[in-house]
Amino acid sequence: MNGAATLILWSHALAAFLFAGVAVSRLREKGKGLPRLTLVSALGLTALWALAVAGIEGLDVVTRVVEALRNLAWLGFMYALMARDRTAREHRAVSVIYGVVALVLVAGIGLAILEQAIGTALIPQLTAVRLLLRSMVAIAALLLLHQLYAAATPRARAGLRLVVFALGAMWGIDLLLYLSAYVSGSWPVTLTIGRGFVMALVAPVLAVAVQRNGEWTLQVSRTVAWQTVSFAVTLLYAAVMLVATSAIASVAGSDARLWQTAFVFGSTAAGVTILSSPWVRAWAKVKVSKHFFRHRYDYRAEWIRFTDTLGKPDDAAPLDARIVKAVADLTDSPAGLLLVPDGAGLGVGAGWNWEAPSAGAEASLVTHLATTGRIVELDAVRADTTDATESASVPIWMLDADGWVLLPLVHLDRLQGAILLARPPIDRALDWEDFDLLRIAGRQVASYLAEERAQSALAEAKRFDEFNRRFAFILHDIKNLVSQLSLVARNAERHADNPAFRADMIATLQDSAGRMNDLLARLSQHHHARAEELRPVDLLALAEQVAARRRAQHPVVVSGMQQFAQADPVRLEQVLGHLLQNAIEASAPSEPVTLALSGDAKRVSIAIIDQGCGMSPAFLREQLFKPFASSKSGGFGIGAFEARQLTEAMGGSVAVESRERTGTTFHVTLAAARTISLDEAA
């Protein structure tokens, strides 16, 4: 035991010497980075406390009083850091917790003096209460230390880091010592020795921090203030519970534990019920904002929440509903309703926690909101304290539904709608901050609505464009059919008696009827005519079939060996029909058009060759594959464009070679298809 007492003596004496040295050095130097007076006081009282532990005893009343004064001084130093460059109103929230901890320290001093005066024999629980109070002080100090570091600006944190580490070590070893003494019922000598050495290490760390200090500016956010107030309430509740349970233990006798449990459970349940009320939360939020800050709103936090609500995916809720909720959350309104343009007036749109009314608003309200852009306070309309035009334009149902405010949504001087907000849990009149925030939010959501409507209009325009493009293709096909049938009709006047011609004419009419049915089916955006999946197609047979249909109007020659392509036969027939018809129209009546087949193991090709008028290089480069551009008078300019689109949809390509007054060759190239012979099948 003598060895332990020696270690306690020398470790705390060393700590006292080091702290005193730091205090003297700080007293002689006049720096600007740290609160000088509070720091010197804290260093001096820490040196005095360590000297008292070394010279007297850690459990002596003088030592305990000096320890409490030491803690008060360090809390004062932390408070001075927190309060620098801030107005008194903004750090009131944090001041509450500092005041509570200071009261607990004063109570601890009173208990130490009371214990010295009357002794522990009269009140056995006094020692346990004192240890719990000292533990609570250590916990509170550590939490305040964390708050101090979290509230510092990023630049100031580098200078605060060593101070936070040193003070955290000091109160951390204190907490460990007090809890160990409370649990074991005796004072732990080993931890007392360890505390002396920890304090001896804390002093040089603080000395380094003093030399590295800079301008430390702290910012108290609303979140920190709210958490601080919550912690202060929690700490106050814990103190009340401690005093109440101690009082119950002293008067309840053998049933003390039962009464203590019932009291703690009942009071906790009542507190949770009260604090879970939306009205209580709204009231507390209003009071904190009103008394601790210059502004009602934390604009950064509100805007982050606002944009997060608007940016949620569409499967969470429609955009209109998200817009209403985002605006309602700004003012804590429990419900909202979106009114959208409907003719000359406003119709009922999406609602959030609001039962949609049966009527909207007349054109007079639209005119008033679009002209003035005013945010309408419905309480002023009820009290008849606003202008007559505004009062006359507000529908009666908005007043009967207890609406609170009507926010116009104006974008580029056009009214995109309006949002009707319900009254918040804590009724209040709107001030300039409400108007500014709602006006900015209204412009933002108005731009969202305008963009969504523009996107809807663009999508609708795209659907019409797709229909028009499909119709243009069909119109081109109809023109080809009309040309083909007209030629058949003219030839029928000369060859009607020829049985072969009549058979060919009937086949042409049947094919034309089938193609017309396909054209009607293609007008539907949900039907794709008779298109099939890609499969091996006999190009020679398909080319002969297409050529046979055109031979009644023009000579067509098919050449080449049998080839198989991976294609859709319906689409490929349509491609060849377009290009062959173009070749026929470009050729003289006596000049045949040739369909030439070629290929290898990977690619096969059909060349459509004519000796017609040909095309210029400029037309090939700039207009050939563009819709509505044609080198023929009366042409639609669709055939080559659609042929290339259909071929590319089958994984192929279309190339062209042409010279003016010489002719043109189109090459339709597709992937070759492997066929199965009879031997392989067997």
Side-chain angles (χ1 to χ4, degrees), residues 76-269:
F77 167 71
M78 291 164 53
Y79 182 81
L81 279 179
M82 183 272 301
R84 295 187 67 181
D85 299 328
R86 309 297 295 174
T87 61
R89 190 179 182 185
E90 287 187 336
H91 60 72
R92 287 179 184 174
V94 184
S95 302
V96 173
I97 186 63
Y98 278 97
V100 172
V101 178
L103 289 177
V104 174
L105 283 170
V106 172
I109 293 175
L111 285 178
I113 296 174
L114 180 63
E115 184 181 2
Q116 179 68 23
I118 65 176
T120 58
L122 295 178
I123 306 179
Q125 296 85 4
L126 196 60
T127 302
V129 170
R130 177 170 49 80
L131 287 173
L132 285 177
L133 287 177
R134 295 168 79 176
S135 301
M136 290 172 60
V137 168
I139 294 173
L142 290 172
L143 290 174
L144 287 173
L145 197 62
H146 175 268
Q147 178 272 332
L148 178 71
Y149 184 76
T153 60
R155 185 185 65 175
R157 286 181 181 176
L160 271 177
R161 192 171 292 117
L162 289 177
V163 174
V164 170
F165 172 78
L167 297 182
M170 179 182 73
W171 277 311
I173 191 65
D174 284 353
L175 177 61
L176 186 62
L177 181 67
Y178 301 147
L179 290 179
S180 178
Y182 178 79
V183 172
S184 64
S186 60
W187 195 257
V189 177
T190 304
L191 286 177
T192 304
I193 298 172
R195 182 170 66 167
F197 286 108
V198 168
M199 295 302 295
L201 294 174
V202 164
V205 173
L206 285 174
V208 174
V210 167
Q211 296 299 322
R212 295 178 57 185
N213 71 77
E215 291 294 331
W216 296 355
T217 302
L218 306 183
Q219 297 173 338
V220 181
S221 67
R222 291 173 185 267
T223 302
V224 171
W226 182 256
Q227 292 175 349
T228 302
V229 171
S230 301
F231 177 73
V233 172
T234 304
L235 191 62
L236 181 61
Y237 172 77
V240 171
M241 289 296 102
L242 180 63
V243 174
T245 52
S246 300
I248 291 173
S250 63
V251 299
S254 59
D255 297 330
R257 182 59 59 87
L258 177 62
W259 286 105
Q260 286 175 334
T261 303
F263 176 78
V264 172
F265 179 80
S267 59
T268 303

Side-chain angles (χ1 to χ4, degrees), residues 321-322 324-326 328-329 332-338 350-355:
R322 299 201 309 271
V324 178
K325 183 180 185 304
D329 286 342
D332 290 331
S333 295
L337 178 68
L338 176 65
W352 178 65
N353 297 335
W354 194 304
E355 185 177 351

Side-chain angles (χ1 to χ4, degrees), residues 417-464:
I419 294 179
L420 179 63
L421 297 178
R423 195 179 304 277
I426 302 299
D427 192 12
R428 58 182 176 82
L430 277 76
D431 58 17
W432 65 270
E433 284 192 85
D434 296 312
F435 285 119
D436 284 350
L437 185 61
L438 287 175
R439 187 174 293 108
I440 294 174
R443 292 174 182 171
Q444 183 72 11
V445 298
S447 67
Y448 272 77
L449 285 175
E451 182 180 356
E452 184 196 35
R453 290 166 186 169
Q455 291 290 341
S456 299
L458 180 60
E460 185 176 355
K462 286 182 177 179
R463 288 194 295 270
F464 274 106

Side-chain angles (χ1 to χ4, degrees), residues 319-330:
L319 177 63
D320 290 359
R322 299 201 309 271
I323 282 175
V324 178
K325 183 180 185 304
V327 175
D329 286 342
L330 294 175

